[in-house]
Amino acid sequence: MEFRLSEEQAALRESVRDFATEVVAPVIGDCYEREEFPYPVVKRMGEMGLFGLPFPEEYGGMGGDYFALCLALEELARVDSSVAITLEAGVSLGAMPIYRFGTEEQKRRWLPRLCRGEALAGFGLTEPGGGSDAGATRTRAELDGDSWVINGSKSFITNSGTDITDFVTVTAVTGRRADGRPEISSILVPSGTNGFTVGPKYSKVGWCASDTHELSFVDCRVPAANLVGERGRGYAQFLRILDEGRIAIAALSVGLAQGCVDESVKYAKQRSAFGHEIGAYQAIQFKIADMKLRAHTARLAYYDAAARMLAGEDFKTEAAIAKLYASESAVTNAREATQIHGGYGFMNEFPVARMWRDAKILEIGEGTSEVQRLLIARDLGL
Ligand SMILES: Cc1cc2nc3c(=O)[nH]c(=O)nc-3n(C[C@H](O)[C@H](O)[C@H](O)COP(=O)(O)OP(=O)(O)OC[C@H]3O[C@@H](n4cnc5c(N)ncnc54)[C@H](O)[C@@H]3O)c2cc1C
């Protein structure tokens, strides 16, 4: 059992930490307020190779692994979550389904631009009628000659409407299985395809500098060859993608939880009340000690889940534990950090205000806390 980072991993963590502090921190507050997607920052992340971290060099990647991606996500989210979720969704939801399940031709065609961060892709699973019950997909795709004809809609799809979005992969019902249940498949829809409309961006509570849209498909025709993976395997595929994605969201949550510690320590040493720095009061010290405890424990949980995944072991339950604990820790830490900042914590110019707004979605996206508890209980035979 070894939870120490290798030299290479530590160097990656340092370089992303420097990037987050020197490049992201100075500009992200303004982008957030204006609800603007931070194109120049994303371009720099692409140049650093962050979007290609877990992919082989033959597809334009950096030849690293999923844990390297998690380390980068943690360091970005320590400063800002909009940028971190853009990377998380770009890699784990956008590129990964193509890498894991796509044909050789699809990988060669789509992955190099995604790995360089020149393009982004989205993953459309959630629908207006529900996200947790993903098997209840209503979007349909029918094979008509050499084309799939898609009808339906998807909600809350990250990275789906940027100027550099190349495609979205959507799940759709493509028929009935022998047992009567719907057959679900994944299909790649390039941006700009007739019948594929990207709705206006949502007005969100948090992640305000990230890109999220509703998508609609009306008689949207794409080549039959745009099927991603085997026909009828879409459900199994997205479960695998979500299991991995939970480790990434856990890492992002740890970053936010740690960012709250950093900001609170700084503020507790600067702010005085009743003749002392507020950090001299045990009530404040204990809050920050508990915040550190949560961030540290959540980090160990995602390291463990990632180590199991990379060793080829079963990691589903550990990923659910890491995601659940880390996201709830992020929410608690954000609430406590805001409290420590008093009235200033409620002002958007302070990073903790942004962290407070960004934390809540972590308990919802890529499987709600209730869904994580269901998965853990199921593993216990309940
Ligand atoms: C900013 C943002 C970005 C997103 N990005 C993407 C994306 O890129 N791609 C994508 O496909 N989706 C995306 N989502 C969707 C997200 O994954 C879903 O919102 C989430 O899975 C929950 O689905 P829902 O919103 O439909 O809630 P519902 O499934 O309707 O759930 C509502 C409530 O009921 C609870 N619940 C449901 N079933 C049960 C049960 N069996 N037992 C107990 N409680 C239950 C839930 O936990 C929740 O509290 C994004 C969402 C947001 C807000």
Side-chain angles (χ1 to χ4, degrees):
M1 188 180 295
E2 177 60 89
F3 279 103
R4 297 228 161 78
L5 299 188
S6 68
E7 260 179 46
E8 205 181 335
Q9 290 164 336
L12 170 72
R13 189 177 59 175
E14 283 311 305
S15 69
V16 180
R17 184 173 295 177
D18 291 347
F19 173 78
T21 323
E22 290 159 21
V23 179
V24 180
V27 298
I28 202 65
D30 282 349
C31 291
Y32 199 89
E33 279 308 294
R34 293 199 299 265
E35 301 191 1
E36 269 174 23
F37 188 77
Y39 288 101
V41 172
V42 171
K43 187 164 184 286
R44 293 279 299 271
M45 286 159 60
E47 288 161 359
M48 284 174 76
L50 299 187
F51 287 92
L53 274 175
F55 301 113
E57 289 168 20
E58 61 176 312
Y59 301 119
M62 299 291 282
D65 58 26
Y66 207 81
F67 184 63
L69 170 70
C70 291
L71 286 176
L73 290 170
E74 182 186 334
E75 290 308 320
L76 287 174
R78 200 167 168 171
V79 168
D80 177 68
S81 292
S82 295
V83 166
I85 192 61
T86 299
L87 176 64
E88 194 278 337
V91 174
S92 130
L93 299 178
M96 197 56 89
I98 307 302
Y99 174 62
R100 288 236 180 274
F101 311 114
T103 60
E104 194 53 33
E105 197 189 330
Q106 286 170 340
K107 290 184 211 178
R108 297 216 175 269
R109 172 161 178 203
W110 300 105
L111 287 180
R113 269 170 56 75
L114 297 179
C115 286
R116 290 195 297 268
E118 292 166 8
L120 290 168
F123 183 72
L125 173 65
T126 307
E127 301 197 347
S132 304
D133 185 8
T137 300
R138 295 216 179 121
T139 297
R140 307 193 65 80
E142 280 170 29
L143 204 50
D144 178 27
D146 274 352
S147 310
W148 290 106
V149 181
I150 307 169
N151 281 286
S153 48
K154 298 287 174 181
S155 324
F156 313 129
I157 308 306
T158 306
N159 288 343
S160 60
T162 70
D163 297 348
I164 55 170
T165 301
D166 270 5
F167 65 90
V168 293
T169 306
V170 294
T171 51
V173 176
T174 48
R176 290 251 149 235
R177 293 153 42 123
D179 62 7
R181 286 191 294 158
E183 172 198 272
I184 298 177
S185 308
S186 302
I187 301 173
L188 185 156
V189 185
S191 301
T193 304
N194 279 343
F196 168 26
T197 309
V198 178
K201 66 179 179 194
Y202 292 96
S203 165
K204 301 187 297 250
V205 169
W207 287 358
C208 294
S210 79
D211 179 81
T212 325
H213 299 263
E214 180 159 321
L215 310 177
S216 83
F217 303 88
V218 179
D219 293 332
C220 172
R221 195 173 273 271
V222 297
N226 283 20
L227 185 71
V228 178
E230 249 176 85
R231 179 171 176 168
R233 296 284 299 155
Y235 192 69
Q237 287 174 15
F238 69 64
L239 290 184
R240 164 78 199 202
I241 291 296
L242 288 181
D243 284 339
E244 292 178 1
R246 281 170 191 151
I247 306 177
I249 294 290
L252 200 155
S253 305
V254 169
L256 190 146
Q258 182 64 49
C260 291
V261 176
D262 302 342
E263 294 298 325
S264 298
V265 169
K266 209 164 39 176
Y267 193 75
K269 288 180 177 169
Q270 286 166 2
R271 182 74 173 172
S272 291
F274 300 97
H276 297 281
E277 287 172 4
I278 59 169
Y281 298 117
Q282 251 183 9
I284 301 289
Q285 290 173 6
F286 283 12
K287 272 190 202 301
I288 299 177
D290 286 346
M291 286 160 65
K292 165 89 182 165
L293 170 77
R294 283 185 285 268
H296 178 76
T297 314
R299 184 176 295 112
L300 293 180
Y302 98 70
Y303 278 23
D304 172 52
R308 286 168 193 268
M309 176 189 153
L310 293 176
E313 294 166 15
D314 199 6
F315 65 95
K316 200 180 176 74
T317 304
E318 287 74 18
I321 291 171
K323 199 268 179 184
L324 176 61
Y325 185 71
S327 59
E328 295 192 346
S329 295
V331 170
T332 309
N333 279 14
R335 192 184 62 238
E336 293 291 57
T338 303
Q339 190 68 20
I340 288 166
H341 281 67
Y344 289 110
F346 203 62
M347 298 298 123
N348 281 324
E349 70 194 81
F350 278 74
V352 290
R354 202 166 71 235
M355 289 173 181
W356 189 64
R357 289 168 64 181
D358 288 340
K360 183 60 204 169
I361 181 59
L362 298 168
E363 294 181 323
I364 296 170
E366 296 199 31
T368 62
S369 292
E370 290 77 12
V371 166
Q372 308 313 316
R373 287 190 165 86
L374 284 175
L375 292 171
I376 297 164
R378 198 174 292 160
D379 187 51
L380 294 168
L382 297 169

